[in-house]
């Protein structure tokens, strides 16, 4: 199960959600017990019941002939049919499909519609059609089978609402409709059941019906026998009704992954039988939880409250509170709990799983926390401001997941001996000192090691090389020095390697060619040198290769284009590469970020570059991916949303010849920088095709001729620089160009005229246009948040992800390395951003294009 956590998604939070939605039912102990097939009895069933069964069979599909035994007079002998010993009436129909549980495929599934003829099985008390492929609506006639006590219709394709007749099923004890396509509300059904004072419902599982929603009915409180209520992964909203406190038998309450946006009533504290409470995974509860909410929850062992709207729910209990429960599983993500560390946690001695993500704790951990937490197998304190040291000698004997990212922990890197540890995330703290030389022996089964953005010094210990299972190694943004460790031969699982922004020197060791799983290699901003080693061509799975900011030299090898066919990001920026740009780069049909700026490249820009990114973006997504992109005069750090960026930067080389027209085929391009070369000829006439272009720089070349009119149709253009060329004629005007009023973006072209330059064009003396009131927008000075712009979209998408999953998917805008940045967006912004993305932007675009 640990591995599931680690693999499924790009964030452990998302994992938790998935964990609860997908595996949760199993964990919560509500998975269906294997049911046995019918007793074969010797009694003869009535003609009417036999006909009802035959009609039922007739209306379904049975590709694997499971019902082949349904012939002959005595229907009590048919497979799946059970009769009462004394009356010989059919009381049980169990067509649950056990094969479906083992293999996901549905070859053995019964399908088609559920025939209303079941109505004639008037004595039926047990009906199980689960794990098949029945479709269509629930027959209202089932509601007249008043003796029905078990009705199980889970992992089918049943649609429509719960028929009102179901409210008659007062004898129903178990009702499972999990994972169908049921819609509407449950109010009528529950209201009806609550009318019969002797209703016997014990288990109600309607989870995974995305269209089922509305408010939770007040009448739920009357279901006094209900033990398990699972309404997770539906669309319920509003509050939990106050009447919940009357559900005196409740053991499980699961409302995970709904749209709950109201409050949780005090009366929940009366549920003295409650064992498992799962309310998070995308809900945005409001209000304050106090001691009263937990007053009598003596049996509680499991609580999950990972909410989607940051801090909309507050846990406010007295410092000296001693809870009545002893929990094994706690998730309190994105609730407000701090600033003090909750002292009551110290009373929880059975805890195995603790997740307090972004709960506003800015405190030190209490004395003895690390000692008492040694029985935890999962600990996440991600994104708080917790201070203090983490004892590095500690024996965290069974911890397999430790996430302390984005806090203020300091002192030595806490690495300790543990063969259980799989995941260790310490990113962005203030840990210092060296990585222990024997890390390979200390944590032999590690899968993820993330130490990025600390103050770690010393070399990368060669013993890293014996971590055979390691998949992720991220050491970015530290002060590591020395050479790369020599042995990578055994690291066949490693797919993410980021050591950028350190002080590593020397050449790439040739054993790196054995990194056969490698998809992401970032070694930028170090002091590496040598020619680009040809053994990298063996790493054919590479999607992102960043060697920028080093001292590599020689030519750009043709094999990059020929062998690394899945490459979608390539940065060789700021090295010493020379000679021509090889045509073979154009073979990289997924490439959407190509940064060769500030090298010594010569020759022309290959005509074929227009072929790039034919296949669109790669789908590689990892919560650690992070890339710096230079545009609008500074570095922007993109996290998680890199796939949205399309950039071509060849600036600062010795490129000559004309700009190929084919460049205007790169329709998704956001950033195009060809400045500081020796390019001649005209700006391609169709430059206006690049509708997504936001930053466009051709400055310091020898381009001549007019500026194409089509430039004015670039709606998102917010950074333009055409200075120091030989361009001539009238500067086009209108639309977005109207906002770029800084004359310096055209300076150094003596033959240009018209606004925003003061030089008037011939015959233009009576220009009716008023001079724009010069806000100097050419070099935009906000935080890259131009409406509808790339950064705007990116922050928006990131914000949306933050809001929804609590992932740290964030655009980090920064002015230079190691400077302050912001992260996170509050919920209102998220909502507005999504609204704008979905509704407003297309509208504005439409209006803009129609106006043209
Ligand atoms: C019905 O028969 C089965 C098997 O013969 C037996 O186990 C069960 O107790 C019987 N039930 C009743 C109510 O007689
Ligand atoms: C129930 O049985 C009666 C008598 O055999 C038959 O007329 C009727 O159509 C059946 N009802 C359904 C819904 O099949
Ligand atoms: C319903 O169940 C009760 C008790 O189990 C029984 O007495 C009654 O006959 C059943 N009714 C029908 C229609 O089978
Ligand atoms: C469910 O039924 C709908 C039509 O009602 C159909 O389009 C869909 O493919 C079905 N889903 C599955 C998994 O069979
Ligand atoms: C519950 O009460 C209804 C009438 O209100 C009756 O028909 C039904 O048989 C009762 N069920 C039980 C289990 O007593
Ligand atoms: C709880 O049940 C009692 C009677 O059993 C009733 O008087 C009371 O109104 C109910 N409370 C709520 C909040 O439903
Ligand atoms: C909760 O959501 C519903 C449906 O989206 C909305 O109508 C209602 O106003 C919301 N309530 C609160 C308190 O936000
Ligand atoms: C809590 O439980 C105790 C004993 O079961 C009971 O006396 C008390 O009234 C309950 N309190 C609440 C608020 O339900
Ligand atoms: C924690 O445990 C270590 C060794 O197991 C011990 O030296 C230390 O005193 C303990 N600290 C506290 C606060 O109990
Ligand atoms: C680098 O690490 C320091 C220390 O944690 C952090 O403050 C800074 O934001 C990091 N810079 C980047 C670009 O991640
Ligand atoms: C980087 O490493 C070199 C030796 O390789 C050393 O001289 C230099 O001081 C280091 N720089 C920093 C900032 O640590
Ligand atoms: C490239 O990506 C595709 C699609 O993700 C994948 O099927 C293929 O195996 C990859 N090629 C290599 C060499 O990894």
């Amino acid at each position: 199960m640990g591995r599931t956590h680690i693999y499924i998604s790009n964030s452990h939070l998302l994992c938790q959600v998935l964990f609860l939605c997908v595996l949760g039912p199993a964990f919560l102990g509500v998975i269906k017990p294997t049911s046995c097939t019918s007793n074969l009895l010797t009694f003869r069933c009535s003609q009417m019941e036999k006909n009802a069964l035959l009609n039922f069979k007739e209306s379904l599909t049975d590709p694997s002939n499971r019902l082949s035994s349904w012939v002959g007079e005595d229907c009590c002998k048919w497979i799946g049919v059970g009769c009462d010993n004394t009356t010989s009436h059919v009381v049980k129909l169990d067509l649950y499909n056990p094969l479906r549980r083992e293999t996901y495929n549905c070859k053995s599934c019964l399908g088609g519609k559920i025939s209303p003829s079941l109505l004639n099985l008037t004595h039926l008390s047990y009906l199980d059609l689960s794990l098949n492929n029945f479709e269509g609506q629930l027959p209202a006639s089932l509601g007249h089978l008043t003796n029905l006590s078990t009705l199980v219709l889970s992992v089918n394709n049943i649609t429509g609402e719960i028929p009102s007749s179901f409210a008659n099923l007062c004898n129903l004890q178990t009702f499972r409709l999990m994972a169908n396509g049921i819609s509407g509300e449950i109010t009528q059904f529950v209201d009806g059941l609550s009318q019969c004072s002797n209703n016997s419902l014990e288990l109600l599982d309607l989870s995974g019906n995305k269209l089922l929603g509305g408010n939770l009915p007040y009448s739920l409180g009357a279901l006094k026998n209900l033990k398990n209520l699972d309404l997770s992964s539906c669309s319920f909203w509003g509050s939990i009704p106050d009447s919940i406190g009357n559900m005196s038998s409740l053991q499980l309450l699961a409302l995970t992954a709904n749209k709950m946006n109201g409050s949780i009533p005090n009366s929940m504290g009366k549920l003295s039988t409650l064992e498992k409470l799962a309310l998070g995974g995308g809900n945005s509860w409001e209000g304050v939880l106090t001691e009263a909410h937990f007053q009598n929850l003596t049996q509680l062992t499991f609580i999950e409250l990972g909410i989607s709207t940051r801090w909309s729910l507050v846990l406010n209990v007295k410092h000296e509170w001693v809870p009545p429960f002893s929990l094994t599983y706690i998730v309190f993500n994105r609730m407000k709990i701090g600033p003090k560390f909750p002292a009551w946690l110290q009373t929880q001695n059975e805890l195995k799983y603790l997740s307090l993500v972004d709960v506003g704790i800015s405190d030190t951990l209490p004395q003895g926390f690390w000692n008492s937490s040694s029985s935890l197998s999962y600990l996440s304190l991600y994104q708080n401001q917790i201070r203090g040291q983490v004892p590095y000698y500690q024996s965290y004997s069974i911890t397999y997941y430790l996430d302390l990212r984005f806090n203020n922990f300091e002192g030595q890197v806490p690495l300790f001996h543990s063969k259980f540890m799989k995941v260790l995330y310490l990113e962005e703290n203030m840990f210092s000192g060296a990585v222990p030389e024997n890390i390979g022996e200390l944590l032999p089964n590690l899968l993820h090691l993330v130490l990025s953005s600390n103050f770690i010094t010393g070399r990368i210990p060669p013993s890293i090389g014996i971590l055979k299972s390691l998949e992720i190694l991220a050491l970015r943004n530290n002060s590591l020095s020395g050479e790369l460790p020599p042995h990578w031969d055994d690291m066949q699982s490693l797919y993410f390697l980021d050591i950028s922004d350190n002080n590593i020197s020397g050449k790439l060791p040739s054993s790196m060619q054995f990194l056969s799983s490698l998809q992401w290699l970032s070694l930028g901003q170090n002091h590496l040198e040598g020619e680009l080693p040809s053994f990298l061509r063996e790493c054919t799975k590479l999607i992102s290769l960043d060697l920028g900011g080093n001292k590599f030299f020689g030519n750009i090898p043709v094999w990059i284009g020929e062998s690394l066919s899945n490459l979608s990001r390539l940065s060789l920026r700021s090295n010493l590469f020379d000679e021509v740009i090889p045509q073979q780069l154009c073979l990289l049909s997924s490439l959407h970020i190509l940064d060769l700026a500030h090298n010594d490249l010569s020759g022309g820009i290959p005509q074929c570059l227009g072929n790039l990114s034919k296949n669109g973006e790669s789908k590689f997504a990892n919560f650690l991916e992070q890339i710096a992109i230079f545009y609008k005069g500074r570095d922007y750090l993109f996290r998680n949303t890199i796939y949205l960026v399309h950039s071509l930067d060849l600036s600062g080389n010795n490129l000559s010849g004309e700009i190929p027209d084919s460049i205007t085929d790169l329709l998704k391009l956001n950033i195009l920088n060809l400045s500081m070369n020796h390019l001649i000829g005209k700006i391609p006439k169709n430059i206006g095709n690049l509708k997504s272009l936001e930053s466009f720089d051709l400055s310091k070349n020898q381009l001549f001729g007019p500026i194409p009119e089509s430039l004015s149709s670039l709606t998102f253009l917010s950074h333009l620089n055409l200075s120091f060329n030989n361009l001539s004629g009238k500067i086009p005007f209108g639309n977005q160009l109207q906002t770029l009023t800084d004359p310096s973006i055209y300076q150094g072209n003596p033959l240009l005229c018209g606004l925003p330059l003061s030089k008037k064009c011939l015959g233009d003396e009576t220009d009716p246009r008023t001079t724009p009131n010069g806000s100097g927008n050419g070099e935009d000075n906000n935080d890259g948040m131009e409406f509808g712009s790339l950064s705007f979209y990116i922050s928006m998408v990131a914000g949306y992800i933050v809001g929804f999953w609590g992932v740290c998917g964030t655009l980090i805008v920064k002015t230079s390395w190691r400077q302050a940045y912001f992260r996170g967006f509050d919920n209102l912004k998220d909502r507005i951003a999504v609204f704008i993305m979905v509704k407003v932007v297309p509208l504005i675009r439409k209006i803009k294009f129609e106006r043209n």
Side-chain angles (χ1 to χ4, degrees), residues 367-368 371 393-394:
Q367 281 281 319
N371 282 17
Y393 50 79
Q394 185 77 44

PDB file of all heavy atoms in Angstrom, residues 367-368 371 393-394, ligand 9:
ATOM      1  N   GLN A 367       9.093  18.606  23.167  1.00  0.00           N
ATOM      2  CA  GLN A 367      10.111  17.698  23.702  1.00  0.00           C
ATOM      3  C   GLN A 367       9.628  16.261  23.546  1.00  0.00           C
ATOM      4  O   GLN A 367       8.504  15.937  23.869  1.00  0.00           O
ATOM      5  CB  GLN A 367      10.275  17.962  25.207  1.00  0.00           C
ATOM      6  CG  GLN A 367      11.111  19.167  25.546  1.00  0.00           C
ATOM      7  CD  GLN A 367      12.586  18.863  25.410  1.00  0.00           C
ATOM      8  OE1 GLN A 367      13.021  17.792  25.803  1.00  0.00           O
ATOM      9  NE2 GLN A 367      13.329  19.791  24.827  1.00  0.00           N
ATOM     10  N   GLY A 368      10.478  15.412  23.044  1.00  0.00           N
ATOM     11  CA  GLY A 368      10.095  14.009  23.009  1.00  0.00           C
ATOM     12  C   GLY A 368       9.231  13.635  21.823  1.00  0.00           C
ATOM     13  O   GLY A 368       8.842  12.488  21.674  1.00  0.00           O
ATOM     14  N   ASN A 371      10.890  10.998  19.792  1.00  0.00           N
ATOM     15  CA  ASN A 371      10.923   9.708  20.487  1.00  0.00           C
ATOM     16  C   ASN A 371       9.572   9.015  20.391  1.00  0.00           C
ATOM     17  O   ASN A 371       9.494   7.831  20.097  1.00  0.00           O
ATOM     18  CB  ASN A 371      11.285   9.909  21.968  1.00  0.00           C
ATOM     19  CG  ASN A 371      12.774  10.151  22.137  1.00  0.00           C
ATOM     20  OD1 ASN A 371      13.455  10.478  21.172  1.00  0.00           O
ATOM     21  ND2 ASN A 371      13.260   9.983  23.353  1.00  0.00           N
ATOM     22  N   TYR A 393      20.192  10.931  14.918  1.00  0.00           N
ATOM     23  CA  TYR A 393      20.575   9.612  15.420  1.00  0.00           C
ATOM     24  C   TYR A 393      19.358   8.750  15.690  1.00  0.00           C
ATOM     25  O   TYR A 393      19.434   7.592  15.992  1.00  0.00           O
ATOM     26  CB  TYR A 393      21.368   9.752  16.716  1.00  0.00           C
ATOM     27  CG  TYR A 393      20.659  10.644  17.710  1.00  0.00           C
ATOM     28  CD1 TYR A 393      19.603  10.156  18.474  1.00  0.00           C
ATOM     29  CD2 TYR A 393      21.004  11.996  17.840  1.00  0.00           C
ATOM     30  CE1 TYR A 393      18.920  10.981  19.345  1.00  0.00           C
ATOM     31  CE2 TYR A 393      20.327  12.828  18.705  1.00  0.00           C
ATOM     32  CZ  TYR A 393      19.284  12.313  19.458  1.00  0.00           C
ATOM     33  OH  TYR A 393      18.593  13.124  20.311  1.00  0.00           O
ATOM     34  N   GLN A 394      18.194   9.376  15.634  1.00  0.00           N
ATOM     35  CA  GLN A 394      16.952   8.716  16.019  1.00  0.00           C
ATOM     36  C   GLN A 394      16.747   7.412  15.235  1.00  0.00           C
ATOM     37  O   GLN A 394      17.067   7.331  14.066  1.00  0.00           O
ATOM     38  CB  GLN A 394      15.797   9.652  15.706  1.00  0.00           C
ATOM     39  CG  GLN A 394      14.464   9.159  16.163  1.00  0.00           C
ATOM     40  CD  GLN A 394      14.303   9.352  17.648  1.00  0.00           C
ATOM     41  OE1 GLN A 394      14.632  10.387  18.182  1.00  0.00           O
ATOM     42  NE2 GLN A 394      13.808   8.322  18.298  1.00  0.00           N
TER      43      GLN A 394
HETATM   44  C1  LIG B   9      14.802  10.275  23.113  1.00  0.00           C
HETATM   45  O1  LIG B   9      15.497   9.044  22.940  1.00  0.00           O
HETATM   46  C2  LIG B   9      16.899   9.172  23.006  1.00  0.00           C
HETATM   47  C3  LIG B   9      17.548   7.846  22.689  1.00  0.00           C
HETATM   48  O2  LIG B   9      16.616   6.872  22.434  1.00  0.00           O
HETATM   49  C4  LIG B   9      17.289   9.650  24.390  1.00  0.00           C
HETATM   50  O3  LIG B   9      18.692   9.817  24.454  1.00  0.00           O
HETATM   51  C5  LIG B   9      16.610  10.989  24.648  1.00  0.00           C
HETATM   52  O4  LIG B   9      16.882  11.402  25.972  1.00  0.00           O
HETATM   53  C6  LIG B   9      15.123  10.864  24.467  1.00  0.00           C
HETATM   54  N1  LIG B   9      14.549  12.189  24.577  1.00  0.00           N
HETATM   55  C7  LIG B   9      13.456  12.435  25.287  1.00  0.00           C
HETATM   56  C8  LIG B   9      13.036  13.862  25.333  1.00  0.00           C
HETATM   57  O5  LIG B   9      12.819  11.563  25.807  1.00  0.00           O
END
